[in-house]
Amino acid sequence: MPEGVDQFYHLRNTTVSLVVDCRGSQPAIAYFGTKLANVSESMIEHLDRHEAPASLPGEPAITLSPTHGMGYLGCPGLAVRRGRQQWQISPQLVACETSELELRFISLCERLSIEITHCLRLDGETGVLALTTTLKNADPTTPLSVDQCLITVPIQDHLSEACELTGRWGYELQQNRFQLPNSSLVRENRAGRTSHHRHPSLRLLSENTTLGSGDALDIQIAWSGNHTIRVEQLADGRRVMQAGELLEVGELELGPGGYYTSPECLLCFSDNGSNGLSQWWHRFIRKACGGHFGSAYGNPDTIQVDTVNSQTVHCDTIHDGASDGAISVSSQETRPVQLNTWEACYFDVNEATVLELIDEAADLGIERFVLDDGWFRGRNNDRTSLGDWQVDEGKFPSGLSPVAAYCHERGLEFGLWVEPEMVSADSDLYRAHPDWVLGFSNGPLIEARNQLVLDLSREEVTEYLFESISALMDEISISYVKWDMNRDIHQMENAGGHRAVHRQTTALYALMARVRDRFPHVAIESCASGGGRVDMGVLRYASRFWPSDTNDALDRIAVQRGFLSILPPELMGSHVGPSPCHLTGRQHTMNLRAGVALWGHMGVEADIRALNKADRLTLEAAISLHKQHRHLLHSGRYVEHEQSAQQVAWSVVSDDQGEALSAVAMLHTPTTAFPKRMRFRGLDGSKQYQVQVVWPQDLSEKQADFRERLKSQCFGGDWLQQAGLALPIMQPESMLIFHLAVVKHS
Ligand code: GLA
């Protein structure tokens, strides 16, 4: 044990404990879970087991970065090499720097000249623990290849089930719960962006964990490139979880003195089931949004140039709370209801149409107008013009400034869609710089959605993009940018012949940071063909996500539940789409479409000029209901209720439990005459509540009677949660929204 390093460390906040065992050569997490009163060395020693047959005399520790040389036979947390040699890393812990909520372990592998820093930072109030690993190549002459750098965490035996967020374009963030295998679960994303299919998160649960009770552990990787999450059962029965950036062989090489910090892995523990986890995440993110995100996150903007092969190497250094890592300011403000032109007119935008839409939007109470794709030179379809970020003069002869000015005149903000990372083969930019794209020297370029990916690791490319975006923002009064990215990166080779996803991702972050810092008043939305870039990494630059291109209200309920399991409602773009839905062809009433959309950062994405009178009135009422309650929706505690295949329900409850908005949705044709009772969640059992039906406005006769009867009755919070509220008959694909307020006795 080196001098100055203790046998173990115990960090805790009001809710969780972290115990790190330092008896071996490397730090290992001994425990992360419900807060413990005290821990002793001998208690930790009792976790050690006797020798198993045909095994090592002592079980190898599951350290933060285990390797084979240490006796560990699972997947190595760390894989490095110099050429084909020097891969047997054997680090020794040499120092530990501690503060109340942070541990920094420094280890050295003298033979290989590598320094490793493991940083573990516990949030002050929630169950969130942030972990990073920094590798430094301390050799003065030889480069070091990094093939793998995964944070490794032991998993307690009772966490035997997993729930992943998976899906596809138009149906993202679907929750899928399953039993963990006795072998390995490997979730790898090679899409070059966060992906629709494999969200960089995983939830582990015990068999008995429910929405409201039992142990639950989440991991989220704050990264928008390729990633790996593995859960492996070792031969001795122990389970480990590993997570980090997925590095292809040769992708990351550190020059002499160069270093790499892994993307932050955020663990979150709750013993209050899945709802407990969601509430921790929401609180953690809100705190980060409202204060110094950088104090919870590494500084992503420090880019170090590796002198060996001119790769830029991502190197998060520990941040002192300055503004670099701060989330966009607008996340703290009231979020304006917006109109987006995409499903209203697709590429067919022009000044006359847009001015009409602005008028209609203003009349409906909409507060921001977002001009989606189709506004720039020659962009009449998705086969052309990406990269030519100048306003199309045919469509907007006087440019977009008068459009923005008209928005302001009608009381709306103005926002614009861009897709900076892409170029169309049919564009002036590509004709001038065909060498600016990522490709594959051994075959033809693959186009997806008729577009190619710009190589952001070239300085001239990001310079061009920054200048183009700045020129637009300098000229036009813009308060919001929808930053899109509409294809996977299949061919990841850059001009130097290197694999590019790592550098592409860090260069994207650097570009977004530049834009954010130059235009701090502009909110950025992260979109990638819908929900292809919803992650904690891009959240340093963006303050809204577009979770899915589907506006189908039923599918949206499922997408939104997945989203809200890890991210708060105010970050969730949710739009009222047209009927029939353009993606699914399904028809839904305006009551359902608007009733579902009002739970996030609400918007409308339909041709509002074509609405019939009844739908227009309904939409106007929904917007007004959203505005009336958006403070609650964007600050309260989200909680899901018990559910069945047909019926789902959820609430957002104010922090003081004085108020709540609750919804119940009948997804399919009910198999029984009546819905299940609504057993509310999150209320104060000792208080009396007045319950009102606030949506929809036009109810069936029986439902209207039900609404009337509720008016004269107060309910105990305990009654509402235990006995529940009997519901009136509901049609399939319909919903009811309740407002609950504590009755104040004078
Ligand atoms: C992506 C987005 C859509 C829309 C289109 C425009 O598909 O997800 O919302 O912006 O691009 O081309």
Side-chain angles (χ1 to χ4, degrees), residues 392-425:
D392 187 298
E393 288 175 359
K395 295 178 180 178
F396 299 97
S398 318
L400 288 177
S401 293
V403 173
Y406 192 61
C407 280
H408 300 148
E409 204 179 305
R410 296 295 328 254
L412 278 77
E413 295 179 13
F414 180 66
L416 198 61
W417 177 95
V418 287
E419 195 180 355
E421 298 143 78
M422 296 294 155
V423 65
S424 308

Side-chain angles (χ1 to χ4, degrees), residues 342 372-373 379 417 449 482 484 486 527 529-530 546 549:
W342 183 236
D372 208 283
D373 202 349
R379 181 73 167 172
W417 177 95
R449 206 197 188 203
K482 177 175 174 183
D484 212 337
N486 277 317
C527 173
S529 322
W546 184 230
D549 272 349

